[in-house]
Amino acid sequence: MPVRQMKESSEQHLVIKPHLQNPMNPAKKTTKAAQNGKGPPPLEIDSQALPHSKNKGRRRGRGGRKPDQGDVMMRPRSRPCTATLTSSANGNVENDFISDMGFPTSSKSLSFARRPGYGQVGTKCIVKANHFFAELPDKDLNQYDVAITPEVSSKTVNRSIIAELVRLYKESDLGMRLPAYDGRKSLYTAGQLPFAWREFKIKLVDEEEGVNGPKREREYRVVIKFVARANLHHLGQFLAGKRADAPQEALQILDIVLRELATKRYCPIGRSFFSPDIRTPQRLGEGLESWCGFYQSIRPTQMGLSLNIDMASAAFIEPLPVVEFVGQLLGKDVMSRPLSDADRIKIKKALRGVKVEVTHRGSVRRKYRVSGLTSQPTRELVFPVDENSTMKSVVEYFQEMYGFTIQYTHLPCLQVGNQKKANYLPMEACKIVEGQRYTKRLNEKQITALLKVTCQRPRDRENDILRTIQHNAYDQDPYAKEFGIKISEKLASVEARILPAPWLKYHESGKEKNCLPQVGQWNMMNKKMINGMTVSRWACINFSRSVQDSVARTFCNELAQMCQVSGMEFNPEPVIPIYNAKPEQVEKALKHVYHVSASKTKGKELELLLAILPDNNGSLYGDLKRICETDLGLISQCCLTKHVFKITKQYLANVSLKINVKMGGRNTVLLDAVSCRIPLVSDIPTIIFGADVTHPENGEDSSPSIAAVVASQDWPEVTKYAGLVCAQAHRQELIQDLYKTWHDPVRGTVSGGMIRDLLVSFRKATGQKPLRIIFYRDGVSEGQFYQVLLYELDAIRKACASLEPNYQPPVTFIVVQKRHHTRLFANNHRDRSSTDRSGNILPGTVVDSKICHPTEFDFYLCSHAGIQGTSRPAHYHVLWDENNFTADGIQSLTNNLCYTYARCTRSVSVVPPAYYAHLAAFRARFYMEPDMQENGSTGEGNGHGSKGTRAAGDYSVKPLPDLKENVKRVMFYC
C-alpha cells in the first residue's frame, strides 16, 4: 500500500488509498471496477487535525514483526499487499488517523460504500412499509441559539419558558413567526425573525417541589441569537443522490418541527410519544401499567423525505395513591400490618426519584420528588418547628396545620427534598404523578404481560399505524403548516423480492441427504447431522427437587437415543449415576461430579455435563455456566424441569443439535458451500466474523460492557464458529480488544487481541490463511457508524499486519441493525400465498430501494418466518467493501447464512455470526463475579487468555476470568 507523506506544512495531508488486486482477477479489472464506482472509495483523511505519527522519519513498507513462537506461521501467498497503514520499524502498525485516546479524531471525509446497483435475484412482489412521503418545504430554515438564565436542566421547564415567550411576543417581537424548539439550546423558524439578537424577560410560576406555602414566581432571562440558515438545496441534492454527505442540520430541524405538537400533546420519551388516551393502559403488576404510543422519525430515503411511524409500548408507574402502590408492589395488605426491613428496602428502591403530588390540601397539588423513606414509622417521627428546637410530631403537625388525620401511622413517611432539608410526607397524603416511565428492570411476569400488549398481528399493527397518522393530522399541524411540510397519509408501496431458500446438506447415511426448507422451516426427520460428534464420557446433575431419579434416568435415555438417531455417537450410560444436588451448593456439586468422574475414567476428562434445573432457578444457571466454562473446562447442557417431565421429540431434537455444536460438530451446511458455488466465499479462503457489544441495563451506572467476537472456523462451509469475549469500559461501544499490544519482559512488544487470535485459530483449523474477511457488526446506531468503522477496521488491519508482513486481506464491513422501526406488510393480507402462517411477509423478502438510503449500500431483509406479532426485518448497511460485492451477492449470502443457525431447524432473523456474538456476549455477563454483577464494576480486560490492557481514558476494568482452551474452540454459547 503506497502511502504518500509530504513535508510538514499548513496544507499537509495523509492520503490512504486501498489498491485491491484479487488473486482471482487481473489487477486491471480491479482498477476499472474502482473507476466505475464499484470498488472501495479512497479513504482520504486530512491530517491537519490529527496527531502526527511518532515514526514519520522511518522507512515504510517493512511489514509486521515476526510471529511469536506460539503462533501458527502465516506464510506469504500470492496475494499482494493491500495494507492501508504504515508499519514502523519494530513491526507495530501505525495509524495516523486514530488518536491516542483510541478514538478517531476525524471522519468528515470518510465515505461509506456506495450502492453498486440493485438486486435482481428472487421473485418480485410488492410490500407496504410504514414510511410516509414528506414533501420538502421551500422555505428558509433558520437556527437561533437560546440562552436561558438562570440555567434550567429540565427540558419541560425550558419548553414552558419558550411557550410563554411565544404567547407574549409572537405578534410583536417575533414577527408572527411560530418557532420550533428542541427543549435545550436551539430554536428554529421558517423565515427570519425581525432581529439577529434580542433579550426577553419571562416570568413563570414554579409548579415543582418546594417548601409549603404560596407558589413561587421565577423570572428568567432569555437571549435569542441568530446562528445559521439551513441549506435545503444541499438536502435536495442529497435526496436525489447527487451528494453523498447528509445535511444533518436540515434533517434535525425538520424532525424537531414535526415533533413539536406531539411533544405538547403526549408524553415524549426518546423518539416516541405515549399517552393513556391512545389505548386503555393494561396493568403489568406491582404498580406498573403499559402505555401505548407511537414512534416518529424523519428519514432520508430514495423516495425523498420519509416519516417513519411505528407503534410502541412502554411500562409506566401507575398513577395510584402511594399506599395503594405499595400494596401492589409488595403483594399484600399494608394498611394494617407493619412493614419488614426487606419491605422497606423494596419500597425505597421503587419510589426513589418518583414524582408525587400531595392530596391533603384540596385543590393545591404541590409536586415533589421522592428522595428516600424514613426508617421509623410515622407515629415516631418528630421534627423541630422553631429556632428553639421545639419538637412536634408529624401526626400533630398535619392535624393542626391541614386538619388531616393520618390513619396509617405504622407506615413510614416519604422523604422529599435533599438530605440537609428533608420534608416528611405521609404515604396516604401522596399520589404518584401520571406519566412517569419505569426505567428499572421488569420481572418475568411484567415482561410477559408487556409482550402480550405489544404483540400485534401485522394487519392490526398496520391499521393502528394508519389510525395514528390520521389522528396526528399533520395537514392541520400549525408547526408543519408554518414550515411548509406536507405528509402523505398512505403507506409507502415498495418493490421487494423473495429470495429462494438454499438447499441444505445432511450426512450421506441419512434417508434425506439434502433438504429444501419450506417457508423458513424444516425438521430432522430422516436426516443425520453432517458432522456428528462422539460423546463417550458424560454425567448428569439433578438440581430439581421435584424430579425423581427414575424420571431423570428416563429423560437422559431419551436424549441419548435422540442424539444417536440424529447422527452422534452417544454412550447411553453416564460415567457415574445421576447425582442429586441442592441449587445453593452448585460449585461443590460440580466439582464433586468432575473429580469423581475423572477418577472413574482413570484421568480422562468428562466430555459433557447434563444439568436438570428448576424452572425458576435464580442465579443457578449463570453460576453453573461460569464454573463450567472458566474453572472446570466443562461443556454443559441445561434442561428445565418442565421439559424433563413433558418430553417431546421436537425438544429433544433441538437439544441434540445444541449438544453437537457444543462438542465441535456441525449439524448442516449449505449445499452450495460444499459444491463451492458461493460467490466471493468459495473462491478463496474466507473468514466470516460476527461482533457485538452488550451494555448493562438502565440504572446500572458502573458495570462493564461485554464485547464478543466469533469467527468461522471451517471453509468453504462457514458453519462452525469459535468465540471470544472481553469486558470493557461501561457503555463503550467500540470493541477495545480487537487488537492490542503489550510489553513482555522476555519477548518485548507482543501483539494479541480477539481478531488476531481468531485468525490464528482459523489457520489451525483449516490449514489456510484467510484471504478475505467479511465482518458483520451488530448493535451499532447510525450516529456511531463513522467511529466504529474507523476504529474497528483499523484494528482488523493491524491484527492482520502483526501476523505476517504485507498480509492485508480485503475487508467487507457490514452493520446489522434490529433496533429500528421499519416494518414491512403484505400488499394484500388476504392473499395466503404472499404471507406465512402468522400473516407476515415471507422469509427471504428483501428490499433495497425506495425506503433505503439514497446513495449508500443498505437493504432490509426478513430472513425468518414469523411466529407471533409482526416480523421485524434486519437492516444491513455495508459500510466498507473491498471485496466488490454485488447487491445480489451480499443479499443472497446473508439470507443463505440465516439457514445455518445451529440451535434450531428454522431460518433466523439475524445473520448467525452476529447472532452468535450476541449470545456469547450475553453469556459472558455470567462470568463476572457475583458482587460485580450486582454492584457493577468499572474496568477493562479480556476473557480469552491474553494480557489485560487499559484503553486510554477508561477506568480500570476488571478482566473476565479466562475461558478454558477446550471451551474457546467450540460454540459454547449455543
Side-chain angles (χ1 to χ4, degrees):
M1 167 58 51
V3 179
R4 185 175 68 222
Q5 293 183 352
M6 293 168 279
K7 292 181 180 179
E8 292 185 20
S9 71
S10 59
E11 297 181 351
Q12 183 186 23
H13 294 272
L14 171 66
V15 181
I16 303 174
K17 298 187 178 182
H19 298 289
L20 303 176
Q21 295 181 11
N22 191 316
M24 306 299 290
N25 303 307
K28 287 182 181 178
K29 287 189 179 181
T30 308
T31 307
K32 188 175 180 182
Q35 289 172 350
N36 290 337
K38 293 182 180 178
L43 182 59
E44 298 188 7
I45 305 293
D46 181 358
S47 68
Q48 190 175 358
L50 309 177
H52 294 295
S53 169
K54 296 175 183 177
N55 296 291
K56 275 193 181 288
R58 294 180 177 170
R59 287 185 297 138
R60 55 186 170 81
R62 295 188 59 173
R65 64 176 181 83
K66 291 182 181 179
D68 299 329
Q69 291 179 347
D71 293 340
V72 175
M73 290 291 288
M74 307 290 279
R75 291 183 293 276
R77 292 282 180 104
S78 58
R79 183 163 197 84
C81 170
T82 58
T84 59
L85 307 168
T86 58
S87 297
S88 64
N90 65 3
N92 292 329
V93 180
E94 299 292 334
N95 178 5
D96 285 352
F97 56 87
I98 301 294
S99 74
D100 293 335
M101 292 290 290
F103 294 91
T105 55
S106 173
S107 58
K108 298 282 184 183
S109 55
L110 171 65
S111 56
F112 298 142
R114 303 273 288 188
R115 190 180 301 282
Y118 296 94
Q120 302 298 322
V121 173
T123 305
K124 292 185 178 178
C125 64
I126 300 293
V127 296
K128 290 177 285 186
N130 57 339
H131 285 245
F132 299 86
F133 177 69
E135 192 175 313
L136 196 63
D138 58 359
K139 299 188 178 185
D140 288 337
L141 303 183
N142 297 273
Q143 180 181 355
Y144 291 83
D145 181 69
V146 176
I148 298 175
T149 312
E151 194 170 335
V152 178
S153 59
S154 166
K155 288 175 79 171
T156 305
V157 176
N158 279 340
R159 289 185 186 282
S160 298
I161 294 166
I162 297 301
E164 181 67 5
L165 188 152
V166 171
R167 187 184 71 80
L168 293 173
Y169 297 105
K170 179 185 174 185
E171 295 181 6
S172 54
D173 297 52
L174 301 184
M176 295 300 293
R177 300 283 183 214
L178 181 63
Y181 177 51
D182 71 352
R184 296 197 183 279
K185 298 286 185 183
S186 295
L187 190 82
Y188 304 99
T189 61
Q192 287 188 304
L193 293 173
F195 56 83
W197 182 96
R198 184 150 303 180
E199 178 181 317
F200 299 88
K201 288 187 178 176
I202 303 296
K203 290 182 179 179
L204 205 66
V205 173
D206 184 10
E207 296 283 350
E208 296 302 307
E209 57 190 273
V211 294
N212 295 325
K215 294 179 182 178
R216 289 175 295 177
E217 190 176 67
R218 293 197 178 195
E219 184 173 277
Y220 298 93
R221 177 173 168 262
V222 182
V223 174
I224 298 176
K225 182 172 69 173
F226 177 76
V227 175
R229 185 175 293 120
N231 191 339
L232 282 183
H233 176 67
H234 181 173
L235 177 57
Q237 285 192 311
F238 170 72
L239 293 171
K242 295 175 182 177
R243 292 188 67 153
D245 56 320
Q248 295 298 339
E249 298 81 6
L251 289 168
Q252 185 180 3
I253 293 170
L254 298 175
D255 201 50
I256 288 167
V257 169
L258 287 173
R259 296 170 64 77
E260 187 74 36
L261 187 61
T263 300
K264 290 177 167 59
R265 282 182 177 174
Y266 306 112
C267 174
I269 294 171
R271 289 189 168 274
S272 297
F273 300 93
F274 296 91
S275 169
D277 302 326
I278 293 175
R279 196 188 297 162
T280 305
Q282 301 293 310
R283 283 195 163 179
L284 302 177
E286 295 191 12
L288 302 185
E289 63 182 9
S290 70
W291 280 20
C292 187
F294 64 93
Y295 167 93
Q296 172 181 299
S297 175
I298 197 112
R299 298 188 60 79
T301 66
Q302 290 171 36
M303 69 179 186
L305 277 181
S306 157
L307 189 67
N308 182 202
I309 299 281
D310 191 24
M311 303 315 295
S313 291
F316 281 74
I317 302 171
E318 203 172 342
L320 297 168
V322 170
V323 172
E324 194 177 326
F325 172 84
V326 168
Q328 281 202 27
L329 178 71
L330 301 178
K332 62 183 183 183
D333 173 29
V334 296
M335 296 180 186
S336 56
R337 299 179 185 176
L339 300 177
S340 66
D341 288 341
D343 291 338
R344 193 175 282 106
I345 290 168
K346 190 172 183 180
I347 296 166
K348 187 177 180 179
K349 278 185 178 179
L351 286 177
R352 184 182 289 149
V354 173
K355 197 178 285 187
V356 296
E357 60 183 7
V358 295
T359 57
H360 63 285
R361 297 177 61 188
S363 60
V364 178
R365 290 289 178 113
R366 294 294 295 279
K367 295 174 184 177
Y368 301 87
R369 200 172 289 279
V370 178
S371 58
L373 199 68
T374 60
S375 55
Q376 301 158 286
T378 303
R379 59 174 168 251
E380 295 177 15
L381 289 172
V382 293
F383 64 98
V385 291
D386 55 31
E387 293 176 355
N388 299 323
S389 295
T390 306
M391 305 301 285
K392 183 168 284 191
S393 73
V394 169
V395 175
E396 289 173 340
Y397 177 82
F398 273 80
Q399 184 65 56
E400 294 171 12
M401 190 74 179
Y402 305 111
F404 183 80
T405 304
I406 300 174
Q407 292 181 318
Y408 310 121
T409 58
H410 63 286
L411 294 176
C413 273
L414 303 178
Q415 289 178 298
V416 296
N418 55 39
Q419 290 182 342
K420 291 181 180 178
K421 191 177 180 181
N423 290 321
Y424 298 142
L425 289 177
M427 283 189 184
E428 63 199 270
C430 299
K431 180 177 183 288
I432 292 170
V433 174
E434 188 179 61
Q436 297 180 80
R437 189 185 178 188
Y438 184 77
T439 57
K440 301 181 182 76
R441 182 187 298 180
L442 298 175
N443 62 37
E444 284 192 21
K445 285 184 179 178
Q446 291 167 336
I447 291 170
T448 302
L450 185 60
L451 286 174
K452 279 184 181 177
V453 176
T454 57
C455 188
Q456 284 185 293
R457 291 287 189 196
R459 182 186 292 186
D460 297 333
R461 195 183 196 100
E462 181 185 324
N463 289 335
D464 276 0
I465 289 168
L466 286 169
R467 272 195 290 270
T468 298
I469 199 113
Q470 288 161 7
H471 183 262
N472 288 350
Y474 295 99
D475 57 334
Q476 302 298 317
D477 183 338
Y479 295 95
K481 280 185 175 180
E482 172 84 8
F483 284 78
I485 304 171
K486 296 177 182 176
I487 307 294
S488 166
E489 291 192 351
K490 290 184 178 179
L491 290 157
S493 185
V494 186
E495 287 185 4
R497 289 168 291 114
I498 301 168
L499 301 178
W503 280 89
L504 302 176
K505 174 70 178 167
Y506 281 91
H507 199 272
E508 291 293 322
S509 63
K511 288 183 181 178
E512 287 187 35
K513 300 169 182 60
N514 300 329
C515 166
L516 181 63
Q518 300 297 316
V519 197
Q521 301 177 60
W522 66 103
N523 58 49
M524 284 296 293
M525 283 179 62
N526 301 323
K527 303 175 192 70
K528 289 189 182 293
M529 300 156 175
I530 188 94
N531 293 116
M533 298 304 288
T534 299
V535 177
S536 304
R537 301 178 300 279
W538 63 277
C540 176
I541 301 184
N542 177 17
F543 288 102
S544 178
R545 290 187 180 93
S546 59
V547 176
Q548 297 87 3
D549 276 359
S550 59
V551 176
R553 277 198 301 272
T554 301
F555 175 77
C556 289
N557 289 337
E558 294 274 351
L559 181 57
Q561 284 180 28
M562 180 58 76
C563 288
Q564 289 170 345
V565 167
S566 300
M568 295 180 69
E569 288 187 29
F570 203 101
N571 187 344
E573 292 300 322
V575 170
I576 60 173
I578 293 171
Y579 184 74
N580 295 305
K582 296 177 180 177
E584 57 271 20
Q585 295 179 336
V586 57
E587 185 168 8
K588 182 181 175 183
L590 289 171
K591 289 184 175 177
H592 172 79
V593 168
Y594 179 80
H595 293 303
V596 171
S597 299
S599 63
K600 193 82 179 280
T601 56
K602 298 179 181 177
K604 289 183 180 178
E605 290 190 344
L606 211 56
E607 293 168 327
L608 175 69
L609 177 75
L610 295 178
I612 298 171
L613 309 185
D615 294 333
N616 297 314
N617 54 71
S619 65
L620 175 59
Y621 176 84
D623 290 340
L624 185 145
K625 292 297 181 183
R626 172 175 52 82
I627 295 162
C628 284
E629 291 160 11
T630 67
D631 187 4
L632 302 177
L634 264 180
I635 300 299
S636 59
Q637 177 61 51
C638 295
C639 304
L640 292 177
T641 297
K642 60 184 178 184
H643 295 131
V644 172
F645 277 119
K646 187 182 178 182
I647 303 173
T648 65
K649 285 192 174 181
Q650 180 67 58
Y651 174 74
L652 293 175
N654 281 356
V655 173
S656 68
L657 294 176
K658 295 168 78 171
I659 289 173
N660 191 48
V661 294
K662 287 179 183 181
M663 300 305 298
R666 297 183 300 185
N667 297 330
T668 186
V669 296
L670 297 170
L671 186 60
D672 279 354
V674 178
S675 309
C676 291
R677 292 198 300 255
I678 302 180
L680 294 177
V681 172
S682 298
D683 54 346
I684 56 175
T686 299
I687 186 169
I688 300 182
F689 284 94
D692 190 22
V693 179
T694 63
H695 302 293
E697 294 186 1
N698 289 336
E700 291 186 41
D701 298 329
S702 57
S703 54
S705 293
I706 305 288
V709 180
V710 305
S712 59
Q713 300 292 291
D714 53 344
W715 177 82
E717 291 87 358
V718 292
T719 301
K720 186 176 174 180
Y721 292 82
L724 298 171
V725 291
C726 70
Q728 60 187 39
H730 177 73
R731 298 219 163 264
Q732 169 64 266
E733 184 58 49
L734 306 182
I735 302 178
Q736 298 298 292
D737 275 5
L738 288 182
Y739 174 76
K740 60 187 180 181
T741 58
W742 67 93
H743 182 75
D744 183 270
V746 178
R747 296 183 292 173
T749 301
V750 182
S751 297
M754 294 193 282
I755 295 290
R756 192 177 192 279
D757 290 356
L758 289 167
L759 289 170
V760 170
S761 177
F762 180 95
R763 178 60 185 267
K764 285 179 179 176
T766 65
Q768 306 266 7
K769 66 176 180 181
L771 295 179
R772 179 184 289 118
I773 293 174
I774 300 170
F775 196 91
Y776 285 100
R777 177 64 157 89
D778 196 6
V780 181
S781 64
E782 288 176 2
Q784 295 173 309
F785 279 5
Y786 282 104
Q787 266 197 334
V788 168
L789 176 64
L790 275 173
Y791 185 89
E792 296 184 7
L793 180 62
D794 175 62
I796 293 168
R797 287 173 169 164
K798 283 181 176 177
C800 292
S802 74
L803 286 164
E804 177 186 288
N806 300 335
Y807 175 58
Q808 285 295 324
V811 178
T812 296
F813 193 106
I814 308 157
V815 167
V816 189
Q817 292 176 304
K818 282 288 283 181
R819 291 190 174 186
H820 61 80
H821 288 269
T822 293
R823 300 292 182 273
L824 302 175
F825 304 102
N827 192 44
N828 180 2
H829 291 287
R830 294 175 184 173
D831 181 6
R832 293 296 177 89
S833 65
S834 65
T835 61
D836 61 20
R837 289 181 186 174
S838 64
N840 279 290
I841 54 173
L842 294 170
T845 302
V846 64
V847 170
D848 61 1
S849 64
K850 203 163 183 179
I851 60 170
C852 292
H853 194 278
T855 59
E856 292 169 13
F857 192 0
D858 72 326
F859 58 93
Y860 291 94
L861 172 64
C862 182
S863 52
H864 66 297
I867 298 176
Q868 57 181 355
T870 303
S871 295
R872 187 195 315 233
H875 185 213
Y876 296 89
H877 207 122
V878 183
L879 299 189
W880 194 256
D881 183 23
E882 293 174 345
N883 291 298
N884 299 330
F885 272 99
T886 62
D888 281 328
I890 198 67
Q891 290 166 12
S892 294
L893 171 65
T894 303
N895 184 58
N896 290 353
L897 286 174
C898 289
Y899 286 79
T900 66
Y901 185 65
R903 305 207 309 174
C904 60
T905 51
R906 299 175 64 95
S907 59
V908 288
S909 61
V910 174
V911 67
Y915 204 146
Y916 293 145
H918 175 78
L919 291 176
F922 190 79
R923 167 68 57 82
R925 204 158 283 284
F926 295 131
Y927 300 159
M928 294 189 296
E929 293 174 12
D931 63 321
M932 195 170 162
Q933 290 181 49
E934 289 174 19
N935 306 322
S937 169
T938 56
E940 164 185 323
N942 62 73
H944 58 275
S946 49
K947 303 286 183 184
T949 59
R950 178 181 298 188
D954 285 349
Y955 296 103
S956 175
V957 179
K958 191 169 184 179
L960 295 175
D962 292 346
L963 287 170
K964 292 296 182 181
E965 282 300 322
N966 65 317
V967 173
K968 282 187 215 176
R969 292 192 296 269
V970 297
M971 295 164 70
F972 62 92
Y973 39 80
C974 275

